[in-house]
Amino acid sequence: MSSKLICRRDLDFLLYQVMGADGLVSFERFAEHSRETFDATLDTAESIAIDHFASHAAELDENEPRCVDQQVALIPQVKAALAQYYDAGFGAATQDYALGGMQLPLTISVACKAIFSAANVSTLAYASLSAANANVIGTFGSESLRRLYRQPLLDGRFTGTMALTEPQAGSSLGDIATTALPTDDGHYLMHGSKMFISAGDHELSENIVHLVLARIKGAPAGVKGLSLFLVPKYLVEKDGALGARNDVVLGGLIHKMGYRGTTSTILNFGERGGAVAYLVGEPHQGLAYMFQMMNEARIGVGVGAVGLGYTAYQHALDYAQERHQGRPVGNKDASSPPQPLIAHSDVRRMLLAAKSYVEGGLCLSLYGAQLADRKAWSGEAAERERARTLLDLLTPVLKSWPSRYCLEANSLAIQVHGGYGYTRDYPVERLYRDNRLNPIHEGTEGIQSLDLLGRKVMMREGEAFELLCGEIELSIQHARSYARMREFSDSLHAALDMLRDTTKTLSRVLRAGDTELALANSSLYLDAFGHLVVAWLWLRQAEVALRVEDTSNDEARAFYRGKYMACQYFFRWELPRIEHACRLLSALDTTCLEVSADNF
Amino acid sequence: MSSKLICRRDLDFLLYQVMGADGLVSFERFAEHSRETFDATLDTAESIAIDHFASHAAELDENEPRCVDQQVALIPQVKAALAQYYDAGFGAATQDYALGGMQLPLTISVACKAIFSAANVSTLAYASLSAANANVIGTFGSESLRRLYRQPLLDGRFTGTMALTEPQAGSSLGDIATTALPTDDGHYLMHGSKMFISAGDHELSENIVHLVLARIKGAPAGVKGLSLFLVPKYLVEKDGALGARNDVVLGGLIHKMGYRGTTSTILNFGERGGAVAYLVGEPHQGLAYMFQMMNEARIGVGVGAVGLGYTAYQHALDYAQERHQGRPVGNKDASSPPQPLIAHSDVRRMLLAAKSYVEGGLCLSLYGAQLADRKAWSGEAAERERARTLLDLLTPVLKSWPSRYCLEANSLAIQVHGGYGYTRDYPVERLYRDNRLNPIHEGTEGIQSLDLLGRKVMMREGEAFELLCGEIELSIQHARSYARMREFSDSLHAALDMLRDTTKTLSRVLRAGDTELALANSSLYLDAFGHLVVAWLWLRQAEVALRVEDTSNDEARAFYRGKYMACQYFFRWELPRIEHACRLLSALDTTCLEVSADNF
């Protein structure tokens, strides 16, 4: 029976047949792993996701966290689910054996994350944030911070947050106003207010570890003056025992459209004299530290968006196969029995679009995770460097493409359900509401597009971009050997030429210093770029499908044919849209620049 | 101060400068009206919408209708708002003076509806459904039904519903199973169950009048066997006094993603022997009657979608002008003050897109309403016929284009607000949730697309389509006299040629009998068709703006320039997308037909 989370057949196909993830075991880091250990981990993830995460997702959505006696109360299933998650080792999945970790490749961990996100993204968020937090402390924190905070975070005894956003500054981190005053004891006293802090308060863990961007008194203006601090909810003694309550208080709970089970908080620091804060790393390096962690966080947002869209697609598919309604347009016989919804061409169109988005998005996330694994653990310096370059370039795409298109899959899933999809009796409306966050947090789509075009594509004179083009060209060469791939490889080739020309034009304008003109339509560039990358990954999926199709049984053949058809859908229905984007971009269209505030 | 509902300046521009709605007073029906009476009506609508509708929209969303002691309880402001609405005459706005109506053109009534929808679509729904219900009874009901039910519906003493959908049949009306048995007393006894019945139960009115599609025992299968019945919640004596409770019971309340203030119900008919039902009109004509009312209902859905998108855009615009955050990309000086959000090109892009959708959608709705006025009330038979033909053709577009693109404006409005837009402290997330219903009810997008391509475009050998093309060509000719319109008129001309060719190809296939092939991608056709129509209406708006720009003061010039820029946006960013759609359609792409259920 289908779990309606992530189709395991598809996950296996993407991981092993397309990405060759089993090849990662040749890295020393993963030497003790094998396809068997990967599969066992995925099995466990799926089983915990079904039994302990999916089972309370709807109830959690209907019962938001609330303040009771100055504590944040959550339904008890959240804590129980997290206990299962940590007991099974997912809290430290990618960590060193020495830290109690599994030394799992990020690729497999990201696959697990897709499964958990599909099941219950709100509950998962507590664990994901804690893992990211532990990573920052592990990489940049002093020995003492690592000793006192990292292990409890990995074990699930503590949970963590990332406290960047302030009410007045939003995405503009350079305007962060929270201050930190040095004391004679070596720590700092923090004053300020942070907003939209996920998992900022609750009773799920013994302690909460906030990683806070703030400005040491006298620091330069802008992002160059930001430092990173660790601020615990409860102070921790040198022996690890919990001490006094720190001066961090809950300023309020924020009520959201979705993701309702993850507390979103306003946190006030230093209302009673100053919150004890410990500097992480060097002063004024806060943003650089956060950015080094961003790659993983942004893959995380992307795969979360995939999970939410993917499971909605699975629900819609199931509904379209079970629900009998109406007759195909050719059939005028009113007394004939109603057909399954999937018999209608327009329903198949919606399902194909959703399939191309969510399976394309999952492939993209796994590809990004594999780059991260290669960058960190490959034995060859050149491969590490190559992976780092590609990952840097693609990070904005890994974050924003799934956030946009898997969200669209959520909307299509509602539409396939018709009136039922709009009710709270079916999960698709909740999944839509949850996913609507992803184009906003961890850098909005607009910000990702500036990062891609203004920074990543331009870095090292376009070297990263050319590296990616080379990879894509290689796949085009491979695909050309199949007659049935010819249409796709030709289209991709033409699209690549177009994007390359567009990129050249925009780079020239940027180098000439007209930043505003070059970046005016950057979100269109991000969209076209993302579509090209996903088309490439669909080409790779279809090529594998064609290669093995003949040697398969009937069921597998239907699966592989589905891959080919989704590729055909993407190449015929989706990829051509980038033509128009490239035309507008190459023409340096000034419509959005020209229009003035009083024209609205 | 802006009400953030519908910009009155824009409404005046569209009504009088673009549509020439004041010209409607030349029809005898509207002889006692004038621009002054129209304006006074709009003023009243705006004032009631602000004071009595918008004021409780958020509270109503947070406090859904619920069952208390077998009655459906709503917050008291709903009833109070409706009282104001009926007292001011909006319940019978377009009705005859003899019925206590205002004999207002539908064009002005639709403008009011945009305002009320923007303010609180859930509360408005009770009144809108009642008006539609009264219209059906007025047109097709017997003298006795008209006497007993219509006037109380127009006065607001009774409210009404449209009860079509059944749990097992959904959009497939031919599968309706509710039955009606004739009795010796001249009425019928009804048995069956209806679902998703909006306003199906509540205590807002003395009585609820259900118009129910059902099958007289022995009627033919399919839609040809459907008859229309009036089934009151309370029986009405011959003297108009309320009698016994009828055998219609609330089977349950349905909890929705949005539109939460409008009860959505399961209604069970005949659990205790049979609900008393009165035949409306002739047997087996039920669907035909409903379809004759559909034009207005579908304009209603369209303008409701416009209202929801429009107000979200107004909120986003306000936020983008008030909220200071970050600096434009060229500015590297971190100590310079933050700029308003609208200073960012990508924010202006989102606002321009939203503006082009909501103002384009409002223009479309008003155009449709004016066609309905001309069809019904023009003194010239030829004009009535012309308007009828265009309205029939455009009805699926009037319903679905705003449902799709004004919903997109809602999503953009969330995005402009960033993290705040995702919270329930700002109205944009609620407005999004409300609008998500519109692509579903009153015929899904898929169904509208089949209606447009399979029926409307084909009717009378494409005569309606050619009539529309002629209208568009006329506007192109006019626009050509302005050098600054040349780009747009050329683009529209090319797009029209493309759509015409595509239509020819599809018509040929339809005539050849390959219905399934021709209609396989109908939703793409609907989308392209809608974009062409809205581009045409933008051309007309821009032409007016250019014509009067020079004679205007500074403020007006900024407004007119805004119209020109939105037109430019639509022509450069939106219209070109139909090229790809037309290519796919003309190629009779079979991707969605070919893929089989086991490929997913």
Side-chain angles (χ1 to χ4, degrees):
Chain A
M1 207 202 85
S2 150
S3 69
K4 295 193 223 164
L5 300 179
I6 305 290
C7 168
R8 184 62 184 274
R9 177 74 187 81
D10 184 36
L11 194 53
D12 287 348
F13 171 77
L14 293 173
L15 276 176
Y16 304 119
Q17 294 180 260
V18 180
M19 291 290 140
D22 32 355
L24 290 169
V25 300
S26 68
F27 297 172
E28 200 185 323
R29 169 78 180 180
F30 310 125
E32 291 181 37
H33 279 290
S34 62
R35 163 112 193 220
E36 284 66 37
T37 64
F38 294 166
D39 286 348
T41 308
L42 293 168
D43 290 345
T44 307
E46 201 170 359
S47 144
I48 295 176
I50 293 170
D51 294 344
H52 300 281
F53 279 69
S55 48
H56 72 280
E59 189 178 337
L60 182 57
D61 178 68
E62 295 270 342
N63 295 278
E64 288 184 294
R66 62 212 160 86
C67 269
V68 180
D69 300 334
Q70 298 182 307
Q71 291 198 335
V72 178
L74 278 156
I75 61 170
Q77 295 95 312
V78 178
K79 195 165 184 169
L82 291 171
Q84 294 285 337
Y85 182 92
Y86 281 98
D87 281 355
F90 289 106
T94 59
Q95 298 287 339
D96 299 356
Y97 294 130
L99 294 166
M102 295 200 263
Q103 288 196 190
L104 206 62
L106 189 69
T107 307
I108 304 301
S109 168
V110 157
C112 295
K113 189 159 178 182
I115 296 169
F116 285 114
S117 300
N120 186 336
V121 81
S122 288
T123 294
L124 178 65
Y126 296 98
S128 298
L129 283 162
S130 303
N133 189 297
N135 274 340
V136 175
I137 298 169
T139 312
F140 304 108
S142 63
E143 187 278 333
S144 136
L145 291 180
R146 290 204 304 275
R147 185 170 48 83
L148 295 176
Y149 296 96
R150 179 169 52 170
Q151 198 61 51
L153 279 163
L154 295 177
D155 298 344
R157 275 180 52 221
F158 293 1
T159 55
T161 78
M162 299 286 183
L164 282 67
T165 307
E166 297 185 1
Q168 83 295 344
S171 303
S172 181
L173 297 179
D175 292 309
I176 280 177
T178 296
T179 57
L181 293 170
T183 66
D184 294 341
D185 300 335
H187 65 257
Y188 291 74
L189 287 178
M190 182 172 285
H191 294 85
S193 196
K194 295 283 177 179
M195 184 154 190
F196 299 129
I197 307 310
S198 293
D201 205 5
H202 52 73
E203 302 297 320
L204 298 169
S205 54
E206 295 174 24
N207 201 358
I208 302 177
V209 182
H210 306 291
L211 285 174
V212 188
L213 276 187
R215 206 175 288 284
I216 296 172
K217 198 159 175 117
V223 294
K224 288 173 188 159
L226 297 176
S227 303
L228 185 64
F229 294 89
L230 186 156
V231 185
K233 179 175 176 182
Y234 294 98
L235 299 179
V236 178
E237 309 290 342
K238 281 189 181 134
D239 62 356
L242 289 190
R245 186 77 156 79
N246 199 359
D247 187 5
V248 191
V249 297
L250 179 66
L253 289 176
I254 297 160
H255 299 101
K256 307 187 295 301
M257 183 184 189
Y259 252 98
R260 293 188 173 195
T262 307
T263 59
S264 181
T265 59
I266 298 163
L267 293 180
N268 296 329
F269 296 84
E271 285 188 339
R272 295 181 209 108
V276 174
Y278 307 101
L279 183 67
V280 177
E282 300 296 315
H284 313 328
Q285 297 299 314
L287 199 70
Y289 297 158
M290 288 314 263
F291 263 112
Q292 290 197 46
M293 305 315 299
M294 284 288 181
N295 283 348
E296 202 174 317
R298 288 179 174 171
I299 296 176
V301 171
V303 75
V306 168
L308 288 165
Y310 203 115
T311 183
Y313 159 68
Q314 292 284 306
H315 280 281
L317 179 57
D318 208 61
Y319 186 78
Q321 282 168 331
E322 300 289 317
R323 167 92 175 171
H324 285 61
Q325 191 180 302
R327 289 142 200 91
V329 287
N331 180 351
K332 303 285 181 205
D333 178 7
S335 63
S336 65
Q339 296 293 301
L341 279 177
I342 202 167
H344 302 281
S345 177
D346 194 55
V347 172
R348 286 203 298 279
R349 172 191 65 82
M350 294 191 274
L351 291 172
L352 256 184
K355 179 182 168 79
S356 79
Y357 298 151
V358 301
E359 295 180 4
L362 184 55
C363 189
L364 177 68
S365 292
L366 295 173
Y367 176 67
Q370 213 195 31
L371 288 177
D373 282 325
R374 291 182 183 278
K375 164 190 141 182
W377 308 114
S378 168
E380 292 171 35
E383 191 184 0
R384 287 198 304 272
E385 183 52 26
R386 205 185 121 273
R388 174 194 312 278
T389 306
L390 286 171
L391 183 58
D392 278 355
L393 173 69
L394 287 173
T395 295
V397 176
L398 295 171
K399 191 268 174 186
S400 52
W401 195 91
S403 296
R404 176 166 185 173
Y405 288 97
C406 296
L407 176 65
E408 181 57 28
N410 285 98
S411 188
L412 289 166
I414 293 175
Q415 197 68 21
V416 168
H417 282 75
Y420 289 97
Y422 193 66
T423 71
R424 307 211 296 277
D425 294 329
Y426 286 76
V428 286
E429 70 87 30
R430 165 172 54 79
L431 296 167
Y432 177 86
R433 286 188 286 105
D434 286 344
N435 219 356
R436 185 62 189 81
L437 179 61
N438 285 317
I440 298 173
H441 69 165
E442 284 288 346
T444 61
E445 244 177 61
I447 286 174
Q448 301 299 330
S449 75
L450 294 175
D451 183 39
L452 177 67
L453 181 57
R455 204 176 295 141
K456 299 304 179 58
V457 163
M458 295 300 289
M459 67 188 178
R460 283 176 279 164
E461 295 178 2
E463 191 188 305
F465 180 69
E466 276 310 313
L467 186 60
L468 177 69
C469 292
E471 294 286 307
I472 295 175
E473 278 167 346
L474 213 59
S475 299
I476 292 173
Q477 291 307 327
H478 285 159
R480 284 219 164 115
S481 58
Y482 297 86
R484 287 172 62 200
M485 295 293 286
R486 194 73 198 209
E487 172 192 347
F488 310 144
S489 51
D490 287 352
S491 299
L492 190 60
H493 193 261
L496 184 62
D497 280 350
M498 227 178 322
L499 189 71
R500 242 178 178 151
D501 287 346
T502 303
T503 306
K504 264 185 210 143
T505 302
L506 294 170
S507 303
R508 202 160 43 229
V509 179
L510 272 169
R511 277 195 304 268
D514 202 344
T515 319
E516 213 180 6
L517 179 65
L519 298 183
N521 307 322
S522 56
S523 68
L524 208 56
Y525 184 82
L526 173 67
D527 193 39
F529 194 109
H531 251 44
L532 182 90
V533 170
V534 173
W536 165 51
L537 295 174
W538 268 114
L539 184 86
R540 290 176 57 179
Q541 290 190 58
E543 198 217 313
V544 173
L546 282 191
R547 197 181 334 128
V548 296
E549 199 178 35
D550 288 343
T551 60
S552 312
N553 61 24
D554 282 356
E555 197 191 323
R557 252 200 305 278
F559 172 85
Y560 291 127
R561 182 165 163 77
K563 286 292 179 184
Y564 181 85
M565 292 306 293
C567 177
Q568 179 173 315
Y569 173 84
F570 203 85
F571 271 86
R572 291 193 186 169
W573 288 65
E574 297 285 332
L575 183 62
R577 290 178 8 204
I578 83 167
E579 275 179 48
H580 170 225
C582 286
R583 271 207 300 270
L584 267 177
L585 286 159
S586 295
L588 298 166
D589 183 67
T590 54
T591 308
C592 303
L593 272 186
E594 274 176 63
V595 67
S596 66
D598 63 357
N599 293 157
F600 287 96
Chain B
M1 206 202 85
S2 149
S3 69
K4 295 193 221 162
L5 300 180
I6 305 291
C7 169
R8 184 62 181 275
R9 178 73 187 82
D10 184 36
L11 194 52
D12 287 348
F13 171 78
L14 293 173
L15 277 176
Y16 303 119
Q17 294 179 261
V18 179
M19 291 289 139
D22 31 358
L24 290 169
V25 300
S26 69
F27 296 172
E28 201 186 323
R29 168 80 180 180
F30 310 126
E32 291 181 37
H33 278 290
S34 63
R35 162 110 192 219
E36 284 67 37
T37 64
F38 293 167
D39 285 348
T41 308
L42 294 168
D43 290 346
T44 308
E46 202 170 358
S47 142
I48 294 176
I50 293 170
D51 294 344
H52 301 280
F53 278 69
S55 47
H56 71 279
E59 190 177 337
L60 182 57
D61 178 69
E62 294 269 343
N63 294 277
E64 287 185 294
R66 61 213 161 86
C67 270
V68 182
D69 300 333
Q70 295 181 308
Q71 290 197 336
V72 177
L74 277 157
I75 60 169
Q77 295 96 311
V78 178
K79 195 166 186 170
L82 291 171
Q84 293 286 336
Y85 182 91
Y86 281 98
D87 282 354
F90 288 106
T94 59
Q95 298 288 338
D96 301 355
Y97 293 130
L99 294 166
M102 297 201 260
Q103 290 197 187
L104 206 63
L106 188 70
T107 308
I108 304 300
S109 169
V110 157
C112 295
K113 188 158 179 180
I115 296 169
F116 285 114
S117 300
N120 186 336
V121 81
S122 288
T123 293
L124 178 66
Y126 296 98
S128 297
L129 283 162
S130 303
N133 189 297
N135 274 340
V136 175
I137 297 170
T139 310
F140 304 108
S142 64
E143 186 281 332
S144 135
L145 292 181
R146 289 205 304 273
R147 183 169 50 81
L148 295 176
Y149 295 97
R150 179 168 53 171
Q151 199 62 52
L153 279 163
L154 295 177
D155 297 343
R157 277 180 50 221
F158 292 3
T159 53
T161 77
M162 300 284 185
L164 283 67
T165 307
E166 297 186 1
Q168 84 295 345
S171 304
S172 180
L173 298 179
D175 291 310
I176 280 177
T178 296
T179 58
L181 292 170
T183 67
D184 294 342
D185 301 335
H187 65 257
Y188 291 75
L189 286 178
M190 184 173 283
H191 294 85
S193 195
K194 295 284 177 178
M195 185 153 188
F196 299 129
I197 308 309
S198 293
D201 205 5
H202 52 73
E203 302 298 319
L204 298 169
S205 54
E206 296 173 22
N207 201 356
I208 302 176
V209 182
H210 306 291
L211 286 174
V212 187
L213 278 186
R215 207 176 288 283
I216 296 173
K217 198 160 172 116
V223 293
K224 287 173 187 159
L226 296 176
S227 303
L228 185 63
F229 295 90
L230 186 157
V231 184
K233 178 176 177 181
Y234 293 98
L235 300 178
V236 179
E237 309 290 342
K238 281 186 183 138
D239 62 356
L242 291 190
R245 187 77 157 78
N246 200 0
D247 187 6
V248 191
V249 298
L250 178 67
L253 289 176
I254 298 160
H255 298 100
K256 308 186 295 303
M257 182 186 189
Y259 253 96
R260 293 189 175 196
T262 306
T263 57
S264 182
T265 60
I266 298 162
L267 293 180
N268 295 329
F269 296 84
E271 285 189 340
R272 294 180 211 110
V276 173
Y278 307 101
L279 183 66
V280 177
E282 300 296 315
H284 312 328
Q285 297 299 314
L287 199 70
Y289 298 157
M290 288 314 264
F291 263 111
Q292 290 196 45
M293 305 314 299
M294 283 289 183
N295 283 348
E296 202 174 317
R298 288 179 173 172
I299 295 176
V301 171
V303 75
V306 168
L308 287 165
Y310 204 114
T311 184
Y313 160 67
Q314 293 284 307
H315 280 280
L317 179 56
D318 208 63
Y319 187 78
Q321 281 167 332
E322 300 289 316
R323 167 90 175 174
H324 285 60
Q325 191 181 302
R327 289 143 201 90
V329 287
N331 181 350
K332 302 285 180 205
D333 178 6
S335 63
S336 64
Q339 296 293 301
L341 278 178
I342 203 168
H344 301 281
S345 177
D346 193 53
V347 172
R348 287 203 298 280
R349 172 189 66 81
M350 293 191 274
L351 291 171
L352 256 183
K355 179 182 168 79
S356 79
Y357 298 151
V358 302
E359 296 180 4
L362 183 56
C363 190
L364 177 68
S365 292
L366 295 173
Y367 176 68
Q370 215 197 28
L371 289 177
D373 282 325
R374 292 183 181 277
K375 164 190 143 182
W377 307 114
S378 168
E380 292 170 35
E383 191 184 359
R384 288 199 300 275
E385 183 52 26
R386 205 186 121 270
R388 176 195 309 279
T389 307
L390 286 171
L391 183 58
D392 278 355
L393 174 69
L394 288 172
T395 295
V397 176
L398 296 171
K399 192 270 173 183
S400 53
W401 195 91
S403 296
R404 176 166 185 172
Y405 288 98
C406 295
L407 176 64
E408 181 57 29
N410 285 98
S411 188
L412 289 166
I414 293 174
Q415 197 67 21
V416 168
H417 281 76
Y420 289 98
Y422 193 67
T423 71
R424 306 210 298 275
D425 293 330
Y426 286 76
V428 286
E429 70 86 30
R430 165 172 52 82
L431 295 166
Y432 178 87
R433 285 188 287 106
D434 286 345
N435 219 356
R436 185 63 187 81
L437 178 60
N438 285 316
I440 299 172
H441 69 165
E442 285 287 347
T444 61
E445 245 177 59
I447 285 175
Q448 301 297 330
S449 74
L450 294 176
D451 183 40
L452 177 68
L453 181 57
R455 205 176 293 141
K456 300 304 178 57
V457 163
M458 294 301 288
M459 67 187 176
R460 283 175 280 167
E461 293 178 5
E463 192 190 306
F465 180 70
E466 276 310 314
L467 186 61
L468 177 70
C469 291
E471 294 285 306
I472 295 174
E473 278 167 346
L474 214 59
S475 300
I476 293 173
Q477 291 306 327
H478 285 158
R480 285 222 163 112
S481 58
Y482 297 86
R484 286 172 62 201
M485 296 292 285
R486 195 73 201 205
E487 172 192 348
F488 310 145
S489 50
D490 287 352
S491 298
L492 190 59
H493 192 263
L496 184 62
D497 281 350
M498 226 178 320
L499 190 70
R500 245 177 176 151
D501 287 346
T502 304
T503 307
K504 264 185 211 141
T505 303
L506 295 170
S507 304
R508 203 162 38 230
V509 179
L510 273 169
R511 276 195 302 270
D514 201 344
T515 319
E516 212 179 5
L517 179 65
L519 298 181
N521 307 321
S522 57
S523 67
L524 207 55
Y525 184 81
L526 173 68
D527 193 40
F529 194 108
H531 251 45
L532 182 90
V533 170
V534 174
W536 167 50
L537 295 174
W538 268 115
L539 185 86
R540 291 176 58 179
Q541 291 191 56
E543 198 217 313
V544 173
L546 282 191
R547 195 177 342 122
V548 296
E549 198 179 36
D550 288 344
T551 60
S552 312
N553 61 25
D554 282 357
E555 198 190 324
R557 251 200 305 277
F559 172 84
Y560 291 128
R561 184 167 161 74
K563 285 293 181 185
Y564 181 85
M565 292 305 294
C567 177
Q568 178 172 315
Y569 173 84
F570 203 85
F571 272 85
R572 291 192 187 169
W573 287 65
E574 296 284 333
L575 184 62
R577 290 178 6 203
I578 81 167
E579 275 178 50
H580 170 225
C582 287
R583 270 206 301 269
L584 266 178
L585 286 159
S586 295
L588 298 166
D589 183 66
T590 55
T591 308
C592 304
L593 273 186
E594 273 175 66
V595 67
S596 67
D598 63 355
N599 292 157
F600 289 97

